[in-house]
Amino acid sequence: MSILSQWFRQRAPIPAPRAPAPRLHAGESDNWGLEANALQYLDGLVTRQSVTAETGAGMSTILFAEKGCEHYAITPSEQEVSAIKEQCRQRGIDDANVRYCLGFSQDILPQLRLPELDLVIIDGGHGFPIPFVDWCYLAPRLKIGGILLIDDIWLWTGTVLADFLRAEWQWELVQTFDKAVAFRKKQAAVITDWGAQPFVMARSNVPTDWKWTCNALHGHIAGLDAALALTERQGDANAETIETLQWVERELLDGVRRIEGICARKIASDGP
């Protein structure tokens, strides 16, 4: 019986008395983190050949251990790691391929040399700005086509990160759960300035002035330049994407030049 099947059996209503569910998290919480549907989703994605990482640790860590894949679990809690190891021992699961990185993700990730990843879970610290820091360091290591799962979107930080990615063209929403969401990475993750981020632009009090409009559009062009550079380095397989990005950039630049011309005439007619 798989670890996931055992988990469902333990969570199903059964007559009392029964042994208490294992407590994996700090503070001896009964909440094992990811919800059942999200665990099922991971169970269908991960193979022994997968390379995965998560901030936080819990039931998902045991699932990765059972799969036998190369996995990185980043958590500051030695108690959680001990509880996970004990559960693996009791269930006969070899967690030799799990690398437990003890420490806070904002301290661990900047210095952690990760391989290219197939799947990433952001489920560590949820206080501002930790989920965004986790994404900033883990998203570049996720391969194109890889899956990013954000847990606890009922919290403001999780909601903002998920909403930001919904607006970014490099990411595709592929699955939603009660309190988690999964995205597929479509193109190289490029962190651009605010003018090239639709989510930020839509929520900013940008002055309605032609010059500000031009500056914002130039920000989009800078973002496209960065995306083009990364896509071109990936080789001829992305020829169609490169052609599309070049066309978008030409059209956007043409629009900016026209707006700048209008702005110049407006300034000239108004005088100093």
Side-chain angles (χ1 to χ4, degrees):
M1 181 185 298
S2 73
I3 182 64
L4 193 61
S5 299
Q6 293 180 49
W7 187 80
F8 282 125
R9 285 188 62 186
Q10 287 181 337
R11 302 305 262 182
I14 55 178
R18 65 184 180 96
R23 301 175 185 270
L24 299 182
H25 289 300
E28 297 191 340
S29 169
D30 282 327
N31 181 357
W32 287 8
L34 290 178
E35 62 201 89
N37 288 342
L39 287 168
Q40 283 184 306
Y41 178 72
L42 295 178
D43 192 37
L45 284 178
V46 179
T47 68
R48 187 173 185 83
Q49 287 71 44
S50 300
V51 184
T52 57
E54 64 180 330
T55 54
M59 190 62 196
S60 53
T61 315
I62 300 176
L63 178 61
F64 290 125
E66 187 194 40
K67 291 288 186 176
C69 64
E70 181 180 354
H71 180 64
Y72 297 79
I74 302 154
T75 173
S77 174
E78 293 186 36
Q79 176 187 323
E80 285 182 354
V81 172
S82 296
I84 290 166
K85 285 179 169 291
E86 177 60 21
Q87 286 298 309
C88 287
R89 186 192 65 78
Q90 291 181 14
R91 298 164 190 271
I93 296 172
D94 183 1
D95 68 341
N97 288 334
V98 177
R99 179 177 174 185
Y100 300 98
C101 306
L102 274 171
F104 292 103
S105 59
Q106 65 266 31
D107 300 323
I108 296 290
L109 287 174
Q111 55 189 326
L112 183 61
R113 298 179 65 86
L114 288 168
E116 192 175 45
L117 302 167
D118 298 290
L119 186 143
V120 165
I121 300 174
I122 294 180
D123 189 22
H126 299 298
F128 181 89
I130 304 307
F132 313 110
V133 173
D134 292 351
W135 174 80
C136 183
Y137 283 103
L138 288 171
R141 300 308 312 151
L142 185 65
K143 65 173 58 173
I144 293 176
I147 297 296
L148 170 71
L149 190 143
I150 304 167
D151 194 29
D152 292 318
I153 58 171
W154 57 275
L155 288 168
W156 180 84
T157 46
T159 296
V160 171
L161 181 56
D163 287 346
F164 171 76
L165 294 182
R166 284 188 179 95
E168 290 290 289
W169 65 272
Q170 299 103 328
W171 299 90
E172 175 189 8
L173 177 66
V174 292
Q175 193 74 39
T176 58
F177 308 98
D178 289 339
K179 65 183 189 73
V181 65
F183 291 88
R184 178 178 290 110
K185 184 177 175 180
K186 294 165 55 181
Q187 294 294 333
V190 181
I191 300 177
T192 59
D193 202 0
W194 62 271
Q197 294 178 335
F199 179 83
V200 176
M201 283 289 294
R203 288 157 179 80
S204 298
N205 187 22
V206 179
T208 55
D209 180 88
W210 285 112
K211 290 183 178 180
W212 279 92
T213 303
C214 292
N215 288 339
L217 289 171
H218 275 298
H220 286 286
I221 292 170
L224 283 169
D225 280 338
L228 265 170
L230 284 170
T231 307
E232 286 169 349
R233 287 201 294 270
Q234 292 163 7
D236 296 336
N238 293 303
E240 185 176 344
T241 300
I242 291 170
E243 184 179 350
T244 300
L245 289 174
Q246 288 173 337
W247 178 84
V248 170
E249 186 174 42
R250 285 195 301 270
E251 291 294 309
L252 187 55
L253 187 57
D254 183 58
V256 171
R257 285 169 178 160
R258 278 189 244 169
I259 291 173
E260 287 176 331
I262 295 170
C263 183
R265 290 194 294 274
K266 181 81 166 56
I267 293 171
S269 64
D270 290 346

